[in-house]
């Protein structure tokens, strides 16, 4: 069952790579509970099928990096990029895309949270295994207020400009 507007996001563990110690987090992968992260916050989250893939690297992530301040000006506390990749890959992609201080790069390495959302995408035939569908969502205190799920192979509704227009 796919999550929908009005639903509370399921709890789960997401992993973020830290290049330096900060806020009690050690260098390397650090695990976070979604329920703790969303508490009392407004979060713009978007998911991509894979780090370093063409549309994700050229358009999706850069759009959120460029729009980070505009989103924060509209009341967004944090912006998350989630992908079914490991934390090392997400950390490297974040460094390449200069996301520090703008977009948190979360790994859902085994797709547990993505499956709990009902937003997994089977790309096994393309040698990529289970990934996430491309989507964006606005969460307020863990409740989905906006949800934009892309049709397969499309990039039309989950971009930063659409999210900005919905806040």
């Amino acid at each position: 069952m796919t999550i929908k507007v009005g639903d509370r996001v399921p709890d789960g563990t997401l992993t973020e790579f830290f290049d330096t110690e900060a806020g009690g987090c050690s260098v390397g992968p650090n695990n976070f509970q979604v329920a703790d992260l969303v508490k009392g916050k407004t979060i713009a989250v978007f998911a991509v099928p894979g780090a370093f893939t063409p549309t994700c690297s050229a358009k999706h992530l850069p759009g959120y990096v460029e729009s980070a301040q505009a989103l924060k000006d509209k009341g967004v506390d944090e912006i998350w990029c989630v992908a079914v990749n490991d934390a090392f890959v997400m950390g490297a992609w974040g460094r390449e895309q200069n996301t520090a201080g703008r977009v948190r790069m979360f790994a859902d390495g085994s797709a547990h949270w993505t499956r709990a959302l009902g937003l997994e995408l089977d790309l096994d035939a393309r040698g990529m295994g289970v990934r996430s569908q491309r989507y964006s969502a606005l969460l307020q205190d863990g409740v989905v207020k906006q949800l934009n799920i892309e049709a397969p192979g499309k990039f039309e509704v989950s971009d930063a400009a659409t999210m900005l227009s919905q806040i």
Side-chain angles (χ1 to χ4, degrees), residues 7 10 20 31-32 36 42 45 50-51 65 79 87 102 106 132-133 142 154 162:
D7 289 349
T20 57
N31 292 332
F32 295 92
D36 295 335
T42 297
V45 58
V65 170
I79 303 164
R102 294 184 273 191
F106 282 115
S132 176
Q133 291 183 50
K154 298 292 185 185
T162 299

Side-chain angles (χ1 to χ4, degrees), residues 88-113:
F88 296 98
V89 168
M90 292 301 285
W93 194 35
R95 283 188 296 281
E96 182 201 74
Q97 294 279 330
N98 196 26
T99 63
R102 294 184 273 191
V103 177
R104 295 184 75 175
M105 304 297 287
F106 282 115
D108 183 19
S110 296
H112 294 302
W113 194 60

Side-chain angles (χ1 to χ4, degrees), residues 140-165:
Q140 288 180 336
D141 198 28
V143 175
V144 179
K145 296 298 181 180
Q146 296 286 344
L147 180 62
N148 309 297
I149 303 171
E150 297 285 0
K154 298 292 185 185
F155 179 61
E156 299 170 344
V157 299
S158 64
D159 61 304
T162 299
M163 180 61 65
L164 271 167
S165 75

